[in-house]
């Protein structure tokens, strides 16, 4: 027998699933338009509105966002890092990602990425090759970079985010995170 709380929880899960499927079925143009009020009302709304190029950044990331969100209110949390000079860093994500090897890994990515072709597939391939070269677990190797770029451990695909951010902003954020780590992490 399912209690009232269990039935309510089950109904919520079902409703979120149905809503997510509806969002995935929308055209990107429709999802873009429906997302705008949520972006405007978000903590980065003013920054988003201040630069007309931000709409293009948002649209570039929208196909990745569309496959991940269940509600429109989640959209800003997947793209807010694109519209600020430095992302707001979730301290728990930072603490978890910045393992003892993170400084070495960030240094390696910073040095190598200067010369990488700036397309998602190439970034992925070279990034994974670098992880292997350093003997790093691929998932753990990505974590400090993701947190440096987005401020958190969950978000759109890392390499697509790097492309949309651009080389200069990506490297600036990686250097900032490396500086924050200092010598002690």
């Amino acid at each position: 027998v399912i209690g009232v709380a269990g039935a309510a929880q089950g109904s919520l899960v079902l409703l979120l699933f149905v809503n997510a499927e509806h969002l995935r079925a929308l055209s990107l143009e429709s999802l873009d338009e429906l997302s705008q009020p949520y972006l405007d009302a978000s903590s980065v709304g003013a920054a988003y509105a201040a630069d007309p190029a931000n709409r293009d950044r948002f649209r570039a990331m929208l196909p990745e966002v569309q496959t991940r969100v269940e509600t429109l209110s989640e959209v800003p949390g997947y793209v807010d890092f694109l519209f600020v000079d430095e992302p707001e860093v979730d301290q728990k994500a930072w603490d978890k990602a910045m393992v003892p090897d993170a400084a070495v890994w960030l240094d390696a990515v910073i040095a190598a990425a200067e010369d990488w072709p700036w397309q998602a597939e190439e970034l992925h391939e070279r990034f994974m090759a670098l992880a292997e070269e350093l003997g790093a677990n691929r998932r753990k190797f990505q974590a400090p970079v993701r947190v440096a770029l987005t401020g958190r451990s969950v978000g759109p695909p890392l390499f697509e985010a790097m492309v949309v951010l651009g080389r200069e902003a990506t490297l600036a954020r990686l250097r900032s995170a490396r500086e924050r780590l200092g010598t002690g992490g």
Side-chain angles (χ1 to χ4, degrees), residues 113-126:
E114 291 273 353
D115 299 320
W116 287 346
W118 216 252
Q119 295 89 30
E121 300 81 23
E122 281 286 332
L123 290 168
H124 179 263
E125 189 176 303
R126 290 173 186 249

Side-chain angles (χ1 to χ4, degrees), residues 38-39 42-45 47-48 54 57-58 61 65 74-89 149-152 154-156 165 173:
Y38 293 89
L39 287 166
S42 74
S43 63
V44 296
Y48 175 72
N54 282 336
R57 288 183 195 93
F58 173 66
M61 192 58 64
V65 172
E74 293 175 305
V75 170
Y78 275 82
V79 295
D80 57 358
F81 70 95
L82 295 170
F83 315 127
V84 294
D85 291 332
E86 287 284 332
E88 183 177 330
V89 176
L149 299 183
T150 69
R152 47 190 164 289
V154 177
L165 271 174
R173 290 180 186 198

Side-chain angles (χ1 to χ4, degrees), residues 15-44 48 55 58 62 65-80 83 152:
L15 289 172
L16 287 172
F17 172 79
V18 170
N19 199 66
E21 290 300 308
H22 175 72
L23 293 176
R24 288 182 218 343
L26 291 173
S27 69
L28 290 175
E29 294 77 22
S30 294
L31 183 57
D32 176 16
E33 291 302 319
L34 291 169
S35 298
Q36 292 308 307
Y38 293 89
L39 287 166
D40 293 341
S42 74
S43 63
V44 296
Y48 175 72
R55 186 80 180 257
F58 173 66
L62 196 54
V65 172
Q66 186 175 32
T67 65
R68 288 164 173 77
V69 298
E70 294 178 313
T71 65
L72 289 168
S73 63
E74 293 175 305
V75 170
Y78 275 82
V79 295
D80 57 358
F83 315 127
R152 47 190 164 289

Side-chain angles (χ1 to χ4, degrees), residues 92-175:
K92 286 182 183 178
W94 176 272
D95 293 343
K96 185 174 180 181
M98 298 306 169
V99 297
D101 289 330
V104 171
W105 296 344
L106 288 172
D107 288 340
V109 172
I110 291 165
E114 291 273 353
D115 299 320
W116 287 346
W118 216 252
Q119 295 89 30
E121 300 81 23
E122 281 286 332
L123 290 168
H124 179 263
E125 189 176 303
R126 290 173 186 249
F127 191 91
M128 293 306 168
L130 182 60
E132 188 173 317
E133 180 183 316
L134 296 172
N137 172 293
R138 292 177 176 198
R139 176 164 287 179
K140 289 182 181 180
F141 188 68
Q142 288 185 53
V145 174
R146 179 178 301 285
V147 173
L149 299 183
T150 69
R152 47 190 164 289
S153 57
V154 177
L158 178 60
F159 308 106
E160 286 78 357
M162 290 171 71
V163 169
V164 174
L165 271 174
R167 184 188 315 269
E168 295 307 314
T170 295
L171 290 172
R173 290 180 186 198
L174 293 173
R175 288 181 186 114

